[in-house]
Amino acid sequence: AEGLDLTLGFTYTDAEYGSSITDRSNREINDVFFESGNPVGASRETTCGSYPFAPFPVSLASCSSLFLDETSPLAGRTLTNASEYVIVGGITYERPLFNSDFLGFVHVDGRYDSGYNTGSDLDPIKEQGGYAVFNGRLGVSGYDGLFELEVWGRNLLDKQYKSIAFDIPLQAENGFGVFLAEPRTYGVTLRSNF
C-alpha cells in the first residue's frame, strides 16, 4: 500500500571465546594479570591457599585453574551479551492529512533477543532470558519538512531485563548487582529544518 513501509531482520550468532584471550597488544590475559601487579602477589609458581594478612579474607582455592593455566576458563563458551537469535522489525505508515501540506505518520518497531549471559565471567546466575521490546512514534510534519512534531515511546510494555550483571562479593556471599535496561520512557519532540 502507498505510504506503508515494512522492515524485518534476523540474525543468528554462534560466537565463542577462543582458547586464550588476549589484550590489544596480543598478550594473553593471564600474562597481563601477572605483569600488572595482581592484588594478592600470586605468581605462576604460587601454590593456591588463603592469605591471612589481607584486609578481608581471601581464598584462592581455584586460582590454579584461573591464573596458572594458559587456557582461559571462558574458552569455548558463548560471548558475553551475545544472543543466539535476534529478530527486529518495524512498520511505518505515512499519508497526507486533509489534502494539505501536512503529512501524518505512525511508526512501531520491535526487537526480540533469544537470551544471553550479561556477566563477563558467564556465571549462570547472570543469564538473561529471551525478551521483546517495542517502541513507537506518532506525529505530523509539514511544509516540506520544515517542522515535525511527534509523540514517542520506548519500551512501551515496560519490559524489565538485565543490561549488565556483576559480582559484589564484599556486600554479600555470592552476591551480584544488576544494571537494568531503560524502563518505559515517552516524550514529545519538535524538530525544525531551516
Side-chain angles (χ1 to χ4, degrees):
E2 188 175 334
L4 185 64
D5 183 34
L6 301 171
T7 59
L8 183 63
F10 172 79
T11 303
Y12 168 77
T13 306
D14 185 14
E16 294 179 348
Y17 286 105
S19 62
S20 63
I21 302 173
T22 60
D23 68 0
R24 290 183 181 169
S25 63
N26 210 28
R27 295 179 301 168
E28 290 191 7
I29 294 300
N30 292 336
D31 293 335
V32 173
F33 178 81
F34 289 107
E35 291 170 11
S36 64
N38 63 77
V40 294
S43 69
R44 291 189 188 284
E45 293 76 32
T46 298
T47 302
C48 295
S50 62
Y51 290 79
F53 301 109
F56 51 87
V58 176
S59 174
L60 297 178
S62 61
C63 76
S64 60
S65 64
L66 291 176
F67 304 132
L68 306 180
D69 187 352
E70 290 299 324
T71 303
S72 167
L74 301 176
R77 297 181 64 195
T78 302
L79 291 176
T80 300
N81 290 329
S83 290
E84 187 174 9
Y85 302 102
V86 175
I87 301 170
V88 295
I91 183 169
T92 303
Y93 181 67
E94 298 177 330
R95 68 170 287 151
L97 297 176
F98 315 113
N99 295 324
S100 68
D101 290 336
F102 293 98
L103 182 69
F105 63 89
V106 175
H107 172 82
V108 177
D109 62 68
R111 174 185 172 108
Y112 170 77
D113 280 89
S114 63
Y116 48 84
N117 192 302
T118 66
S120 59
D121 59 358
L122 301 180
D123 186 336
I125 200 165
K126 298 172 186 173
E127 286 285 333
Q128 169 59 56
Y131 64 91
V133 175
F134 297 95
N135 310 302
R137 297 182 294 134
L138 173 68
V140 62
S141 63
Y143 302 105
D144 295 327
L146 179 63
F147 79 92
E148 183 175 284
L149 176 66
E150 69 179 30
V151 176
W152 53 267
R154 290 190 290 262
N155 193 1
L156 293 172
L157 303 178
D158 203 21
K159 177 66 179 169
Q160 288 190 354
Y161 59 97
K162 297 175 207 164
S163 177
I164 297 174
F166 51 93
D167 293 325
I168 50 171
L170 300 180
Q171 294 185 6
E173 185 176 338
N174 297 323
F176 73 101
V178 173
F179 290 119
L180 294 176
E182 186 176 323
R184 177 175 42 226
T185 54
Y186 47 87
V188 177
T189 301
L190 175 62
R191 290 185 190 89
S192 179
N193 297 311
F194 49 91

